[in-house]
Structures are given as C-alpha cells and as structure tokens.
Amino acid sequence: MTAGASLTVLPVADRAVVLRLSGALDRYGAGMLGRELDLRLARADRRGLRLVLDVSGVSRMSTEVRDTLDARTRHLGTGPVLVSGACPEVRAVLTAAELPGVLLCPTLEEALAAVCRAAADGPRTGAAAPPEDVRSEVFGLRAKARTSGLIGIAQGILLARYGLLGPQEAFDLLRDGSQHHNVPLRVLAAAVVSAPAPHAPGEWFPGRRHLPRPVLDLALPGPVDVRDRRQVLRAAVYAAVTVTDADAAEIHLTDHTREEALVLEAHHALDAAYRDCLALVCGPPAVCARAQAAGKPVTVADVAADPELAGHPVGRATLAAGSRAVHSTPMTTSEGDCKGVVSVHRAEPGAWLDRGQEAVLDELAADLAAWRSWYRRTVVLDALEYLHAQGGRQRG
C-alpha cells in the first residue's frame, strides 16, 4: 500500500473480522496486502471466522492488488472473502476479472448479513437459526461495527501517548478505566478521541472544579446513583413511559464526535429492527431529529400519514414496531445546548399528551440535560484522569 493508504482491523463479531482499507492501493502495496491477507486468513480460519474487506475508504485500486486478492482467495474452502463498499472505480477493477474467492457486497451491513445467513444455512450442532435470530445477530454485528473504529482510534492514541507495548495493552488500559469508573467503553473511547491532550504528567485536567451532584426526581421507589449512566437512563425511560401513559419510549443522546448526531442509548418496548434503524440518527425525518433541530417538542400524530415519514425507512420501522404516534422532547440545558432527546410512542394515532403530561416530560428532559452535562464534566473526566495516571505509571 502507499504512504496514503491504511489498514485497520475491526474485530466486530464472533463470526467475522473486518479489515478496513483506505487510501490508494497501487502495485507497490500488493505485496503488503498479500502478507496481511496470508496472516488474517490463517487466523480467521483457525478461529472459524469469515473475513470481510471493507474498501469503502479506498479511492483507487490497481490490477496488481486485484490479482493479489485473487491469488490469496481463489482456493479458500471456508467460503469467499466478502468485499464491501467499493466505489465505482474500485468495483470496475474488481469486476474486470473473474474472482471466484471474492463476493462483492454493496455495504458493510450487507456483508455482515451474508456472514450470518451463511452461518445459519451451514452445518450446525443444533437446529438452524431461524430468520429472526439471524436478523438479531446482524443488528448486533452492525452495532459493534459502529463503535469498533472509534475504540481502535482511542487505542492508537493511548499507545502513542504512553509508549505502550501494543494495541492489546492499550485496550486493557481503556477497559480498566471503563470498569473502574463504570463508564461504557465506547463513551470513554469517544472522550479519549475528543479531549485535548494532557499537558502535565500528574493530572489531565489540573485545577478543574468538581461540580455538585445533580438531583434527579424519577418517581422511583429507591434512589438512583447519578454516577451510573445505565441506571439513570433506564430509570428515565421508565419515568417517561409512566408519566405520559405511553406504549414505548426511547432516549437518544448527542455524540460530539459525530457532529452531535443522536445515538440511541435506552429504550422500552421497541423491537430490534427499530432500534437498529434508529441507532444513529443524523437528521430528519426522524421525529427525535426534528425536535433536536427545532429546539422544542415535536409531535407526529400519525406516522402513517406524515408525508416525510410514511415512505421513509424510519417511518416504516416505526410502524412495524407498532407505533403510530410519536412525541419527542429535546433535552436542553439552561445554556440552550441540546444533550439529547426523549421520545414516547403510542400504538394508536393522535396527539394524546395533555398539558400536564407535557410539562412533566419537559421537566424530565431538562433534568436529564443537566445530568448529562454534569456526567460528562465529572464522571467522564474522572475516568480520563484515571487513564492518564495509570498510563503514566506504565510508561514510567
């Protein structure tokens, strides 16, 4: 590969490993790619995994690279290597010759789906997995693929910053910080990527002021630990359903590493297909994105009759999940920053919330916005300080 090309390994599943290629692959990179394929195919074969090449980031591919790929895959007995995301120029190179050991897939998602279908159709020790199980596994693979790249970047930063021995040591450090402060791994990885580099060996954020814990009134019989992210979000979803007499609910939080896109973080009574479709929302017509953009609550009284949603994948997923009406309230701080969106659903069409319910939901959303701001400036920074201290010891 050339100086502008790169390869990243994404161990996204129990049945597949993804190699993400990017840049321009010319004849000088054919040998390097061949060595990588020899290594990765042997490892994948030993572990019973399928190999997927994600070339969505490749701008150019030479015929020498194609021939190398053919030579390494032509006689595979475990099934073809799946190549996903090829741009028209790369696809033209790949389809100009017969490649019996390669299966082209339009997207990474479809490649992972093909892995799952092959596993379900092939010999198994028990009964073949039914279609619903296969679909659920595909959703799980896609969820892992969405976060693997971010975690890999965080590993690289820690590896370089603290002079660690290798990627596994960097992952162990990241996982240790996640467990020590009960911060989800992907949340901590995102903080490592987005936070400014530490300037002092002792502390990452010297002199920072620790804010008092927020008070959350979630109408539960017992107290909620505001440092426990999962517990807060689960309790908040339960509260949203209870106070609005809803049939389902979800909470999206903004992701500052993805230009404030909305990431699904908690839900109640929404099926796997809906959660997969709304896992990452980058804009309308999703109702939660409309509320984020408007900066105020938005109600869609009938998804089936909404001109933007009715024929859209988001609308179809919503209807398939049994929801006809959706109300979304942005989680806005006192400074006007949107930290996420709370959405509630009803199976019957029509705007059902009265003013009292809307007011309670508004208050819940505001409390969650204040909590999220505190959590990021307190718990997440505590976890980063821990990483810095532990990484500094390993370097020393």
Side-chain angles (χ1 to χ4, degrees), residues 218-224 238:
L218 298 176
L220 294 177
V224 173
Y238 174 82

Side-chain angles (χ1 to χ4, degrees), residues 138-223:
V138 172
F139 298 152
L141 297 187
R142 286 209 287 250
K144 291 180 180 180
R146 278 189 287 266
T147 60
S148 293
L150 181 65
I151 292 172
I153 294 171
Q155 285 177 256
I157 291 173
L158 296 177
L159 184 68
R161 182 171 292 163
Y162 302 116
L164 304 178
L165 297 178
Q168 185 60 49
E169 189 172 0
F171 181 80
D172 291 343
L173 176 61
L174 194 65
R175 182 181 56 192
D176 186 32
S178 169
Q179 293 174 348
H180 191 271
H181 285 276
N182 197 20
V183 175
L185 190 65
R186 62 180 175 80
V187 174
L188 185 54
V192 170
V193 171
S194 60
H199 297 293
E203 294 180 276
W204 195 325
F205 307 97
R208 71 181 175 99
R209 184 168 61 94
H210 288 260
L211 303 173
R213 293 190 177 204
V215 177
L216 290 175
D217 182 13
L218 298 176
L220 294 177

